[in-house]
Amino acid sequence: MRHKVSQGLFPVLDHVSRLGTEVDLQDVFQRFTFDNTCLLVLGFDPNCLSVDLPELAYRMAFDEVEEAVFYRHIVPEIIWKIQKWLDIGEEKKLSRAMEIIDRFLYQCISLKQEEFRTQRTQIEQADQKKDEDFDLLTACMVQKEEAEMEMEGNEKKMDSYLKSDRYLRDIAFNFIAAGKDTVNAALTWLFWLIITHPLVEKRILEEIKVNFQAREDGNWRFFEVQELGKLVYLHAVICEALRLYPSVPFNHRVSIQPDTLPSGHHIDANTKVMVSLYSMGSMEEVWGHDCLEFKPERWISEQGGIIHVPSHKFIAFNTGPRSCLGQDLTFFQMKTIVTAILWNYHVQVVEGYPISPCLSVMLHMKHGLKVRVSKRSGV
Ligand code: HEM
């Protein structure tokens, strides 16, 4: 990820700062998280984040899938099922987009398998990889090979799905879908909140200054995970942004049998229950009279540590057995990006630019986030 920041993010921000032009920070973050998630999951960098801002069909296909999934939430099931059967409307777009994504993913899987085969002792090689070189596909292939070796000569046969490329494709698709737009949406709202609250921005910069020597030989120095853990105020700012603007604004579950909800409402079997994570983040009953204010201090105890808030209250990452698997990774990514950008650039929202959420399964900004960027000197 550090490589992506220094070789992708910094050159783009330098470029727009030199030209003095406006840039859509949401688009920049979208490209950043797409590249970064593909690197983490597939070990492949699509390089969407470069100065010429290229449009790649498979990146746009992921966006089309998101739109079609939202459509499925707002029309009756029978309607989208008929559209799917007739291959028309949003369902037609969805199946075309999935074809593009599948072509991309199966190509990456086949390249990875080739690379994996040519390695002499695959398991050792994977173990020796540096953290920055880690990718989920290789990890799954190593695990698959270990399972196959264990079962050799054994009566039991490995599940054919687990052995198939389809399994690797499903893992890759799920992780890319789960990781790319969630972090991007969170970063966009977070930056908008920080740059429109100058005192918050000042405190973050002070916290970096107090804790670290941010430059080494005049160059920006990335912080280690343990170092980022010291940035309590920044952690609170991220939690507060995710409380007000959870990347996944709503969620739904279907009951498999009749049940009674904690609210006392009775539901029949096969009932769809929608939960608005967005509303829960701004409810007075849950967060108190100042629930609508952006107040990072609410997360910090008198002793100066982070107050633990249970996941059924701070629900941005969901609660219970299907909670987000990427929470720690998210905080690491967001802290790395915020410290790198704020320390090196001064970012300002274009005056009068309309900011509003869009209706989608992901809480994006409807019109993006247009900003001007200039190099910061002497923090
Ligand atoms: C701001 C960042 C993120 C937010 C707000 C977020 C939020 C969520 C939410 C609400 C769910 C539950 C969805 C549901 O059950 O319908 C979820 C699940 C999940 N998330 Fe995240 N997520 C974020 C980042 C990530 C990242 C970076 C990854 C990994 C690359 C990731 C991986 C997953 C996975 C694998 C699940 C499914 C867990 C399961 O069903 O067992 N997430 N996330």
Side-chain angles (χ1 to χ4, degrees):
M1 185 178 65
R2 292 166 175 185
H3 180 79
K4 196 79 253 168
V5 175
S6 56
Q7 302 304 313
L9 194 57
F10 283 175
V12 169
L13 296 180
D14 284 346
H15 180 72
V16 291
S17 116
R18 247 192 328 269
L19 295 181
T21 49
E22 295 170 3
V23 66
D24 179 1
L25 206 54
Q26 176 163 265
D27 182 49
V28 170
F29 287 149
Q30 233 154 19
R31 289 165 183 278
F32 177 89
T33 49
F34 187 70
D35 285 354
N36 202 39
T37 313
C38 285
L39 267 167
L40 180 75
V41 176
L42 308 168
F44 166 75
D45 185 353
N47 269 317
C48 292
L49 184 64
S50 54
V51 170
D52 46 342
L53 303 178
E55 289 303 350
L56 299 180
Y58 50 85
R59 185 174 79 95
M60 281 149 70
F62 272 99
D63 293 346
E64 278 158 23
V65 170
E66 216 173 272
E67 279 169 33
V69 171
F70 181 62
Y71 182 74
R72 282 190 181 182
H73 277 87
I74 54 174
V75 295
E77 197 169 323
I78 184 75
I79 301 285
W80 69 256
K81 284 199 167 159
I82 291 174
Q83 289 191 335
K84 185 175 156 80
W85 184 61
L86 295 172
D87 195 26
I88 55 171
E90 285 297 315
E91 289 297 318
K92 180 176 177 176
K93 279 198 228 160
L94 176 63
S95 67
R96 299 299 171 273
M98 285 311 298
E99 280 169 17
I100 297 175
I101 292 174
D102 277 350
R103 256 199 310 279
F104 165 64
L105 292 179
Y106 281 120
Q107 206 177 358
C108 289
I109 290 168
S110 140
L111 287 171
K112 220 7 78 212
Q113 279 166 336
E114 192 57 43
E115 189 186 297
F116 192 71
R117 265 183 233 116
T118 52
Q119 288 175 353
R120 203 168 42 87
T121 49
Q122 299 95 330
I123 296 169
E124 275 172 32
Q125 297 255 351
D127 283 348
Q128 282 163 12
K129 279 189 162 196
K130 289 190 270 125
D131 284 355
E132 286 269 317
D133 294 333
F134 172 87
D135 68 77
L136 197 63
L137 267 189
T138 309
C140 289
M141 286 176 194
V142 171
Q143 197 203 29
K144 203 164 102 178
E145 188 167 278
E146 282 176 340
E148 272 168 357
M149 272 158 42
E150 247 175 54
M151 287 190 178
E152 235 168 60
N154 196 325
E155 295 279 284
K156 271 187 4 205
K157 283 254 176 324
M158 199 170 164
D159 186 315
S160 62
Y161 170 62
L162 293 182
K163 277 169 92 172
S164 67
D165 285 357
R166 174 78 197 189
Y167 168 68
L168 294 174
R169 175 258 180 222
D170 288 352
I171 293 221
F173 178 80
N174 280 339
F175 270 83
I176 295 176
K180 77 177 184 76
D181 273 338
T182 43
V183 177
N184 150 50
L187 276 170
T188 310
W189 289 104
L190 174 71
F191 259 85
W192 172 66
L193 286 165
I194 293 176
I195 59 189
T196 52
H197 292 79
L199 288 179
V200 172
E201 181 173 7
K202 194 163 166 252
R203 272 197 72 177
I204 297 173
L205 288 168
E206 271 166 17
E207 191 177 50
I208 301 174
K209 212 178 201 169
V210 167
N211 281 287
F212 312 118
Q213 186 70 36
R215 287 187 190 278
E216 239 170 33
D217 307 326
N219 291 320
W220 168 250
R221 179 180 77 83
F222 287 99
F223 306 128
E224 301 300 328
V225 181
Q226 296 81 351
E227 289 182 301
L228 289 172
K230 290 185 192 162
L231 302 177
V232 172
Y233 185 70
L234 178 55
H235 193 96
V237 174
I238 296 173
C239 291
E240 184 67 346
L242 278 166
R243 173 182 76 83
L244 288 167
Y245 299 101
S247 312
V248 181
F250 64 90
N251 213 333
H252 83 255
R253 294 290 182 261
V254 179
S255 54
I256 49 172
Q257 56 189 44
D259 202 355
T260 305
L261 300 179
S263 59
H265 291 91
H266 176 79
I267 53 165
D268 293 330
N270 206 21
T271 305
K272 193 170 177 176
V273 180
M274 301 282 287
V275 181
S276 173
L277 311 189
Y278 177 78
S279 307
M280 279 184 68
S282 321
M283 279 167 75
E284 195 169 340
E285 300 94 295
V286 182
W287 294 98
H289 66 280
D290 56 357
C291 57
L292 296 179
E293 285 173 46
F294 174 59
K295 231 167 123 178
E297 291 73 21
R298 77 173 81 236
W299 295 87
I300 302 175
S301 69
E302 277 175 18
Q303 292 73 36
I306 287 288
I307 296 175
H308 170 73
V309 177
S311 59
H312 59 263
K313 178 174 175 186
F314 175 44
I315 199 149
F317 293 99
N318 207 12
T319 186
R322 304 307 297 260
S323 292
C324 178
L325 298 178
Q327 187 166 347
D328 291 343
L329 180 65
T330 298
F331 277 95
F332 171 67
Q333 289 187 0
M334 292 181 71
K335 285 177 187 172
T336 302
I337 294 163
V338 173
T339 48
I341 296 186
L342 283 193
W343 192 268
N344 292 290
Y345 302 91
H346 183 56
V347 185
Q348 274 176 305
V349 185
V350 168
E351 211 174 307
Y353 196 75
I355 303 292
S356 56
C358 76
L359 283 177
S360 167
V361 284
M362 220 39 89
L363 196 67
H364 295 299
M365 283 190 183
K366 193 171 177 179
H367 310 284
L369 178 61
K370 281 273 167 70
V371 297
R372 287 186 190 282
V373 179
S374 53
K375 279 278 237 191
R376 204 192 274 277
S377 53
V379 181

